[in-house]
Amino acid sequence: MQNLATSNKKVGLVLSGGGIRGMAHIGLLKAMQERNVEAHEIAGASVGALIGALYANGNSTDEMLQFFKDTPLFQYNYFAIGKPGLIDTTKFASVFQKHFSINSFESLTKPLYVVATDLMNGKEKVFTKGELILPLLASAALSPVFSPVEVNSILYADGGIMNNFPKEYLEKNCELIIGSNVSINGTLEKKHLRNSFQLTGRITGLMIYASCREKIGECDVLIEPQELEHIGMLDKKDIDKAYTIGYDRACWALDKSLN
């Protein structure tokens, strides 16, 4: 592991998907800020892409937390009609416009790589330029809860399906990689596998983690808090809890690298 305190090398930041667990990413950003560690480029999937965009947009960590607290999830007027999924993802565009007044990647202060899943061609797509909001919505469109998002006549869904830890997009320009993986798959007790929903979530999580395990282990600094395991993907009441877990773990990991 290279020492962040003595390095002048470019730092890349990888932020995984993971729903509300992704608030741990914001805890990492707070810990980085306190230690004067800055990322030069960011790659993210799903909630990681959203937080990466807010970071590249210059938003404070308090503003990021408030964004997720204020954004509605299951209001009746957000329900999908005539679309697959329970929630119409595109209805969140107006919420995003309040935070990204200039709707373009070029308006951001840092390069950002947003990964989404091309449902029609069965492959991943990375967005890096042009319109910003629709790719962000697409990357976070967790199936089957949120409807796919159409961008240039292609339907896209959650980036984590194909690539939940898009570290490779940073390797060309960044020499140090900080990774935050919140799609944790530690040990579960039988009581957490009692129904089809829990079983499906567990299997999906294991498949996603297995595809990214090698990349995760290659990071120079990694936070992967096991305490996030029992936080629900869409459970907004645990926003502060996930943030605190991420902050505490990041402080430990960064201090270990800085010393």
Side-chain angles (χ1 to χ4, degrees):
M1 181 178 293
Q2 301 187 59
N3 192 314
L4 290 173
T6 59
S7 175
N8 293 318
K9 297 179 179 180
K10 291 185 68 173
V11 175
L13 178 65
V14 191
L15 304 175
S16 78
I20 294 301
R21 297 173 184 175
M23 301 306 101
H25 296 326
I26 304 177
L28 166 62
L29 293 175
K30 181 66 172 179
M32 288 171 57
Q33 180 186 46
E34 291 176 347
R35 289 156 180 79
N36 296 315
V37 176
E38 180 181 358
H40 299 89
E41 297 189 5
I42 310 113
S46 196
V47 69
L50 300 185
I51 293 171
L54 290 167
Y55 177 52
N57 193 49
N59 293 91
S60 69
T61 53
D62 286 341
E63 289 171 337
M64 294 178 199
L65 285 173
Q66 201 60 47
F67 169 82
F68 289 98
K69 290 177 180 179
D70 291 345
T71 301
L73 289 180
F74 296 109
Q75 288 187 356
Y76 72 91
N77 55 322
Y78 281 71
F79 289 164
I81 299 175
K83 293 182 176 182
L86 300 175
I87 306 296
D88 186 345
T89 310
T90 59
K91 290 187 176 180
F92 291 91
S94 60
V95 177
F96 281 47
Q97 286 168 359
K98 296 176 182 178
H99 296 269
F100 301 102
S101 57
I102 303 176
N103 182 16
S104 74
F105 279 86
E106 288 76 14
S107 69
L108 303 176
T109 62
K110 306 171 187 291
L112 174 68
Y113 303 85
V114 172
V115 174
T117 297
D118 178 343
L119 293 174
M120 298 168 68
N121 297 294
K123 59 185 181 182
E124 73 180 77
K125 165 72 173 180
V126 58
F127 294 91
T128 61
K129 59 184 179 180
E131 183 178 359
L132 174 65
I133 292 176
L134 279 182
L136 289 178
L137 290 172
S139 184
L142 176 66
S143 301
V145 177
F146 297 97
S147 65
V149 174
E150 184 173 337
V151 182
N152 297 326
S153 300
I154 300 292
L155 290 176
Y156 294 97
D158 193 293
I161 297 170
M162 298 296 289
N163 190 351
N164 200 46
F165 199 78
K167 170 179 173 285
E168 59 269 36
Y169 294 107
L170 302 175
E171 292 173 347
K172 179 179 179 180
N173 297 321
C174 298
E175 300 145 295
L176 285 169
I177 304 292
I178 299 174
S180 181
N181 176 45
V182 298
S183 293
I184 308 303
N185 289 287
T187 302
L188 285 185
E189 299 177 12
K190 288 182 180 179
K191 65 181 180 180
H192 298 297
L193 294 170
R194 288 179 174 173
N195 56 54
S196 297
F197 180 79
Q198 290 174 326
L199 180 62
T200 300
R202 177 63 167 174
I203 292 171
T204 302
L206 288 172
M207 292 171 62
I208 289 173
Y209 185 78
S211 68
C212 299
R213 182 182 295 121
E214 184 176 344
K215 291 188 292 182
I216 292 169
E218 292 171 348
C219 292
D220 296 287
V221 178
L222 175 67
I223 73 161
E224 195 176 36
Q226 298 299 315
E227 304 96 317
L228 295 171
E229 183 70 56
H230 302 302
I231 290 180
M233 295 276 283
L234 299 174
D235 195 348
K236 289 183 66 175
K237 71 176 176 58
D238 282 335
I239 284 177
D240 289 322
K241 180 178 180 182
Y243 165 79
T244 300
I245 289 171
Y247 174 76
D248 290 343
R249 179 62 183 174
C251 287
W252 179 88
L254 289 170
D255 286 344
K256 182 179 179 181
S257 175
L258 290 167
N259 293 326

